[in-house]
Amino acid sequence: MKGFSYLPDVVTLTLDVDACIGCELCCKVCPHCVFSMHNNKAVIADRDSCMECGACALNCPTRAIMVDAGVGCASGMINQWLASLNIRFKDNDTCC
Amino acid sequence: MTYIVPPGLYALGDPDEDSPVLVTANYKMSYDLVRRAMHRHNVWLMVLETYGINVWCAAGKGTFGTDELVRRIEACGVSKVVRHRQLILPTLGAAGVKAIEVVKRTGFAVLFAALRIEDLPDFIKNGMVATPKMRELTFTLKERLILTPMELLPGMKAQLIVGVPLAILAGFHHGSFEFYRFMVAFCIAVAAVVCGTVVSPVLLPVLPGRMFAVKGAIVGLTCSAFFVAALRASHSAVLTELLALVLIMSTISAFYAMNFTGSTPFTSQSGVRLEMRRCLPVMACAGMLGVLLLVVGRFIP
């Protein structure tokens, strides 16, 4: 994504090249073009652009891709944390 | 006002048995945007039950997902309406939909189209192939600006609980309450929220640092410097108060900037977790020190 990059070397994305059958589905579903094809196999070309949405891992037919998928949302995580402590606000302004 | 569209199969224009079938969420805005983009096209539109949530958020939760898609394909009878066996889904729905499972269970092939709804007509015209431009996410100034009211309004509401008591505290001077000082402090509290919820998102790509909290703290620090200069010029502030102003303003701005991570299309869960682990303790310390200085300032003549 041009002009934007988040923290480097932090995402949980892994690719087992040996298990890849070259279907290119990961390239098609990734909104950040993290993968590219090399010799009919997928390679992680732009790892730090990954936002861990999990679309590639879900759609990979051979489970060659693993990622701890989730939403990169601080307020969501704070709300989750508060909920785990049984703290709830009456007027909850959460978006999703 | 309800923002939910009943799930099911809709006809846009005058589709026949060879027309493409598009799939979307039952958030009214998603539905309306598809209708607007496909104006003058003859297509089928299958609306999934996502409980009024947009495609991207619903895919993350799994409601815009494989099971719901399979259920809806069977429930709406699309296989009797069209001859082909192909569905066009938004790319951002791929986080919830496993294409090979859908084809196995229903016979319908899933095609992930463009990222943006407005590219849909070109995608179809292009023979159902996405160009690199259709597959590239953007986060333009306009796209960022549209999101700021949803950050600003809850932030302002929260200031009634946090900002007003702090401003009342700051209003006490030499044992008496001065309304003027209260108003100045309240303006500072409001400005701090604006720094984190509007200025930081707008300046996002040009602000230094990778962490959103750092970006927000920089905006807060800069803004507080202006307030410090103005207050010093009016000879009405004590040193402890100025320090408290800088600390509290930077903390509030940093916190709201960090909350903006969820509104962007490029932050990862691991990244936000790391940012929160690093920045929340610093923010808590800075904020508490600021409040402490404000309280101590009341006892200094």
Side-chain angles (χ1 to χ4, degrees):
Chain A
M1 196 172 162
K2 274 189 206 105
F4 296 93
S5 47
Y6 197 42
L7 309 185
D9 297 325
V10 68
V11 292
T12 52
L13 179 71
T14 60
L15 166 69
D16 176 2
V17 182
D18 293 332
C20 175
I21 52 166
C23 72
E24 292 189 36
L25 209 47
C26 50
C27 301
K28 285 182 184 141
V29 299
C30 179
H32 284 290
C33 307
V34 167
F35 300 93
S36 66
M37 297 304 290
H38 186 71
N39 291 337
N40 285 326
K41 295 262 190 186
V43 286
I44 298 177
D46 187 7
R47 182 189 181 74
D48 287 341
S49 284
C50 172
M51 59 167 165
E52 298 181 327
C53 71
C56 54
L58 180 71
N59 276 287
C60 179
T62 57
R63 297 188 181 204
I65 301 169
M66 298 284 208
V67 63
D68 180 15
V71 183
C73 174
S75 42
M77 285 184 203
I78 292 170
N79 283 334
Q80 245 173 32
W81 179 57
L82 290 176
S84 74
L85 298 171
N86 265 325
I87 302 169
R88 268 171 227 278
F89 294 107
K90 222 193 294 169
D91 171 45
N92 215 345
D93 278 316
T94 50
C95 46
C96 56
Chain B
M1 174 117 188
T2 170
Y3 294 97
I4 295 182
V5 177
L9 191 65
Y10 292 79
L12 305 186
D14 185 22
D16 58 26
E17 53 190 13
D18 292 316
S19 302
V21 181
L22 310 177
V23 181
T24 193
N26 77 336
Y27 176 40
K28 190 170 182 303
M29 197 170 165
S30 313
Y31 174 78
D32 284 344
L33 286 172
V34 176
R35 278 203 308 179
R36 195 177 308 160
M38 298 316 289
H39 179 60
R40 274 190 256 258
H41 284 73
N42 300 319
V43 295
W44 297 102
L45 180 59
M46 193 195 293
V47 176
L48 303 191
E49 174 67 279
T50 62
Y51 308 95
I53 303 291
N54 66 71
V55 170
W56 174 234
C57 291
K61 277 179 187 286
T63 46
F64 189 97
T66 312
D67 288 339
E68 165 59 15
L69 181 58
V70 169
R71 196 174 333 146
R72 200 55 56 192
I73 288 169
E74 283 156 9
C76 75
V78 65
S79 56
K80 290 179 211 124
V81 176
V82 291
R83 277 197 302 199
H84 63 81
R85 288 292 174 264
Q86 191 178 52
L87 303 173
I88 300 172
L89 267 72
T91 308
L92 288 179
V97 175
K98 186 169 186 168
I100 47 168
E101 199 184 317
V102 175
V103 77
K104 255 184 230 160
R105 285 166 65 181
T106 66
F108 274 89
V110 168
L111 207 62
F112 293 109
L115 284 166
R116 279 169 296 267
I117 294 170
E118 56 267 28
D119 285 336
L120 259 178
D122 286 339
F123 172 81
I124 293 170
K125 216 186 287 168
N126 200 29
M128 311 277 185
V129 177
T131 62
K133 204 153 185 256
M134 289 178 196
R135 296 186 38 220
E136 192 181 359
L137 270 176
T138 56
F139 201 34
T140 60
L141 177 65
K142 194 179 149 201
E143 287 167 326
R144 299 198 298 277
L145 214 50
I146 288 170
L147 298 166
T148 55
M150 279 307 292
E151 308 289 318
L152 183 63
L153 292 177
M156 287 300 174
K157 256 200 233 164
Q159 274 316 43
L160 294 178
I161 306 160
V162 180
V164 171
L166 282 178
I168 290 171
L169 190 63
F172 282 100
H173 189 59
H174 292 309
S176 64
F177 184 75
E178 291 174 25
F179 188 69
Y180 161 75
R181 297 176 69 86
F182 164 79
M183 278 313 290
V184 171
F186 187 67
C187 286
I188 290 169
V190 168
V193 176
V194 174
C195 282
T197 59
V198 181
V199 182
S200 301
V202 165
L203 298 179
L204 197 66
V206 292
L207 288 170
R210 297 262 184 141
M211 293 194 181
F212 283 50
V214 172
K215 290 172 186 278
I218 289 167
V219 174
L221 270 173
T222 313
C223 186
S224 64
F226 282 106
F227 275 102
V228 167
L231 289 172
R232 275 176 62 95
S234 68
H235 303 288
S236 61
V238 195
L239 181 67
T240 51
E241 281 183 345
L242 295 179
L243 275 172
L245 155 64
V246 173
L247 286 168
I248 294 173
M249 194 165 199
S250 309
T251 304
I252 292 175
S253 178
F255 179 77
Y256 282 111
M258 189 182 76
N259 274 348
F260 193 66
T261 49
S263 299
T264 73
F266 66 97
T267 54
S268 61
Q269 177 177 253
S270 304
V272 173
R273 216 176 258 155
L274 178 73
E275 166 161 354
M276 285 173 64
R277 212 174 293 143
R278 293 244 177 103
C279 298
L280 270 180
V282 181
M283 282 187 229
C285 291
M288 280 192 283
L289 185 62
V291 175
L292 193 70
L293 283 169
L294 198 58
V295 174
V296 169
R298 301 308 96 206
F299 301 102
I300 294 175

